[in-house]
Amino acid sequence: MRVAFAGTPEFARAALQRLVAADFEVPLVLTQPDRPAGRGMKLTPSPVKQCALERGLVVVQPRSLRLDGKYPEDASEARAALEAARPDVMVVAAYGLILPRWVLDLPRLGCLNIHASLLPRWRGAAPIHRAIEAGDAVTGITIMQMDEGLDTGDMLLVEREPIRPDDTTGSLHDRLAALGARLIVEALELAACGGLSRTPQPAGGVTYAHKIDKAEAAIDWRQPATVIERRMRAFDPFPGAWSVLAGVPLKCWRGVPAGGSGEPGRVLRVEAQGPVVACGEGALQLTELQKPGGRRLAAAEFLAGHPLEAGAVFELPPAEPPGT
C-alpha cells in the first residue's frame, strides 16, 4: 500500500515514524512551510519535515491546497506531486491546512485522519487542551474517514484513553500521539484486506475545541480553584497560565486546591510548598512558578529567591504579559 502523509507537529511525527517502521511505502509527505522559531526567529522545519528528511522521503510544503485560493501555484505543485506519488491512501495528522475535495478524492481509499478525541466530542483544533480544561475523565483517538466537514467524517477505529488527575496537555499529548500512531497502522492493515468498517458519528454530543488564544491563559482568580487548576494543566506547555504580581508577570504552571477563602487573587498565606491564593471558590496553592526570562521552579525554590508575603494581590485580567 502506498501511503501519502500530511502532518506538521510532534503529534504527527509519531505517526510517520510508525508508518515507516511498519514498512508502508511513503512516496510523499506534505507539511507546513518552515516557520520562524527560537530567540533568533530562524526558519525551522516542522517535526514532520525533519523526520521525513532523515528517512529520505520526498517533502512538499504548500502554503495552501486550494487551486482557486491565494497560492494557486503551491496547490498546483502539490497536486502534481500527489498525482505522481499515486497514493492508495493519505494519512492526515494535525496537518493544519484544509483539504479540498480534489485531495480527498485523489487516493483510491481516500484520506484517513488521526484525531485526538472521542468524536463527535472536541472536533476542531485543540481537542487535548479542551478535554483537560473541561475536566473530562476520558478522551482517546478516533481514526476518521475525512470528508469536507470539520472532523465530521465516519469513524473507522476508536480507542479510549483515561485522563489522569495530574495530566497536562504535554503528558496527555505524548500518550495520544503514541496511541494514534499504533491505531493508524492497524487501520491501514485492515483497509488492505477490506476489513475496515465505517460508523457515522452520533448526531448528539458535538463540541468544538477552538484554537488556543494566548489571552485565555491569563488567570481569572474569580473562577473556582478547581477550574483554574485544570486550566493550568490545559495550558502546559503552551501558552502557560500567567498572572501579574506587583507589576511582574509570572507563569503559574502548577497548583493544588487548598483550604481558605478571601478576595480573589489575594495571597492568604505562604507555606513551604508555595503561596496559597484565594479564588472565587476556595483557594489554590501555587507549586511551580516562573518569572520572565527564568526557569520553571518548584515554589520552594522560587520563594527562596523571590520572597512573597501574605496579603500580596495577583492582578485580574486582561493585559497580556510582555516578554514572557
Side-chain angles (χ1 to χ4, degrees):
M1 184 180 288
R2 295 171 63 81
V3 182
F5 187 86
T8 298
E10 287 291 341
F11 182 86
R13 185 214 288 258
L16 179 58
Q17 288 175 325
R18 190 71 177 253
L19 290 171
V20 173
D23 290 330
F24 284 99
E25 185 177 359
V26 183
L28 181 68
V29 172
L30 299 180
T31 191
Q32 292 245 11
D34 298 357
R35 305 289 190 203
R39 292 186 180 276
M41 298 302 286
K42 180 181 177 181
L43 280 179
T44 303
S46 73
V48 162
K49 180 179 178 180
Q50 295 175 39
C51 177
L53 294 180
E54 288 166 3
R55 288 155 178 79
L57 304 178
V58 177
V59 177
V60 176
Q61 298 175 267
R63 289 166 291 181
S64 171
L65 293 170
R66 294 195 174 278
L67 296 168
D68 59 351
K70 186 177 181 181
Y71 304 105
E73 66 283 0
D74 284 31
S76 295
E77 178 189 357
R79 182 167 190 166
L82 271 170
E83 289 174 345
R86 296 179 292 105
D88 296 298
V89 66
M90 177 184 280
V91 169
V92 182
Y95 178 32
L97 290 183
I98 294 173
L99 302 191
R101 171 52 63 185
W102 73 262
V103 179
L104 298 174
D105 289 344
L106 194 150
R108 177 173 59 87
L109 298 174
C111 299
L112 308 189
N113 179 247
I114 308 170
H115 188 76
S117 82
L118 301 175
L119 291 170
R121 186 160 178 78
W122 302 128
R123 295 173 178 171
I128 302 176
H129 302 75
R130 299 305 182 190
I132 292 176
E133 181 185 23
D136 291 0
V138 66
T139 184
I141 291 289
T142 303
I143 305 297
M144 177 189 66
Q145 186 79 44
M146 296 183 71
D147 60 18
E148 289 185 284
L150 176 62
D151 300 327
T152 56
D154 291 346
M155 301 180 293
L156 305 173
L157 288 179
V158 178
E159 188 162 324
R160 298 161 70 86
E161 174 66 29
I163 298 178
R164 301 167 184 167
D166 61 346
D167 261 330
T168 63
T169 288
S171 63
L172 184 55
H173 164 281
D174 292 350
R175 297 204 309 280
L176 290 175
L179 175 57
R182 175 172 63 79
L183 278 189
I184 194 60
V185 169
E186 292 181 16
L188 293 177
E189 289 172 344
L190 286 169
C193 62
L196 198 58
S197 60
R198 299 168 60 151
T199 303
Q201 293 186 34
V206 176
T207 56
Y208 289 92
H210 298 287
K211 185 178 179 180
I212 300 299
D213 188 315
K214 285 186 178 181
E216 292 183 76
I219 297 173
D220 186 347
W221 299 101
R222 292 164 293 196
Q223 294 181 321
T226 53
V227 171
I228 297 172
E229 188 273 337
R230 291 200 307 264
R231 289 170 66 84
M232 285 180 179
R233 291 187 289 112
F235 299 146
D236 181 359
F238 175 84
W242 62 273
S243 191
V244 176
L245 181 67
V248 178
L250 298 177
K251 289 285 181 72
C252 303
W253 291 107
R254 294 291 179 93
V256 293
S261 62
E263 174 194 355
R266 184 172 296 278
V267 177
L268 300 177
R269 57 189 182 275
V270 179
E271 301 176 347
Q273 296 86 354
V276 176
V277 184
C279 304
E281 293 179 16
L284 199 64
Q285 184 165 53
L286 303 180
T287 59
E288 189 175 352
L289 296 159
Q290 181 181 6
K291 68 174 185 178
R295 297 181 296 110
R296 292 173 61 154
L297 297 173
E301 188 177 359
F302 182 90
L303 291 172
H306 306 84
L308 212 167
E309 296 183 356
V313 179
F314 282 91
E315 296 179 13
L316 300 178
E320 183 173 350
T324 59

